[in-house]
Amino acid sequence: MALRPDLAVIADSVAPGSRVLDVGCGDGALMAELRSRKQVDARGIEIDGADVTRALARGLSVIQGDADTDLADYPHASFDYVILSQTLQTTRRPDIVIDHLLRIGTRAFVSFPNFAQWRIRLALMFGGRMPVTKQLPDRWYDTPNIHHVTIDDFRSLIAERGIRIERQWFLRGEKRISETVANLTAEHAVFLLSR
């Protein structure tokens, strides 16, 4: 099964043999890919018990935990990369979570849905309601998303915290989007961060 487009970007960018922590790892698809393709030492943390069970069934090292509370327990500089894919918008304090990612790892990958994408803007402007789309399939009252982050919002937060953006990718499906129109046209963003 092919990886989700943001996970494929991350998998292509992780150095072989790295130590990786995947926060919000889901069923472990990315970890399994990194283990087989890049021989990484991959660990995961996931809040959903059913996903933890699926990841463990793949032979992956995954624990059940919460990014908002459990990252504080990890020692400084214990991983080469910490990955937070499609999870930032579900955390209570994304700013603190990002600080933990870069304390725990030398670099951090963060990917998220771009809530400023033009289809979302149009749905709000003309429909007057929170949109339900392929990238945001839940209704406003049952969505796990509690922060509606845009690419420009994320860049602003990173700049305020003195964090360096090493690389950035903007995606519409599997297609890469130019940085100049990313906030308007990209459905998802992926950032590689460091201090």
Side-chain angles (χ1 to χ4, degrees), residues 86 89-90 113 115 120 129-146 148:
Q86 304 296 322
Q89 71 280 1
T90 69
F115 285 86
I120 296 171
R129 299 176 69 173
M130 290 302 294
V132 175
T133 66
K134 182 179 176 186
Q135 77 187 58
L136 302 168
D138 302 305
R139 294 160 297 192
W140 69 269
Y141 57 86
D142 64 0
T143 182
N145 300 319
I146 60 174
H148 300 118

Side-chain angles (χ1 to χ4, degrees), residues 174-191:
E174 294 181 13
K175 182 181 177 189
R176 300 228 176 135
I177 302 297
S178 164
E179 180 180 346
T180 56
V181 294
N183 201 51
L184 181 63
T185 62
E187 294 171 346
H188 293 94
V190 181
F191 287 86

Side-chain angles (χ1 to χ4, degrees), residues 146-161:
I146 60 174
H147 295 288
H148 300 118
V149 63
T150 71
I151 291 168
D152 288 349
D153 287 329
F154 185 77
R155 285 180 176 149
S156 178
L157 172 66
I158 295 307
E160 288 170 15
R161 297 188 97 68

Side-chain angles (χ1 to χ4, degrees), residues 7 18 24 33 40 47 55 59-60 82 95 110-111 119 121 133 143 146 149 186 191:
L7 296 181
S18 300
E33 177 77 9
V40 303
I47 200 167
L60 298 170
V82 180
D95 54 337
V110 177
S111 72
R119 284 187 178 102
R121 291 180 191 203
T133 66
T143 182
I146 60 174
V149 63
F191 287 86

Side-chain angles (χ1 to χ4, degrees), residues 70-144:
D70 297 331
L71 293 180
D73 297 332
Y74 284 86
H76 289 11
S78 40
F79 294 93
D80 299 309
Y81 299 96
V82 180
I83 299 167
L84 187 75
S85 61
Q86 304 296 322
T87 304
L88 181 71
Q89 71 280 1
T90 69
T91 62
R92 286 190 302 269
R93 289 294 306 271
D95 54 337
I96 293 172
V97 169
I98 290 169
D99 285 342
H100 279 303
L101 300 180
L102 290 169
R103 178 187 60 75
I104 296 166
T106 305
R107 293 180 172 137
F109 283 99
V110 177
S111 72
F112 55 87
N114 175 28
F115 285 86
Q117 199 258 352
W118 69 270
R119 284 187 178 102
I120 296 171
R121 291 180 191 203
L122 283 178
L124 281 169
M125 186 174 0
F126 293 112
R129 299 176 69 173
M130 290 302 294
V132 175
T133 66
K134 182 179 176 186
Q135 77 187 58
L136 302 168
D138 302 305
R139 294 160 297 192
W140 69 269
Y141 57 86
D142 64 0
T143 182

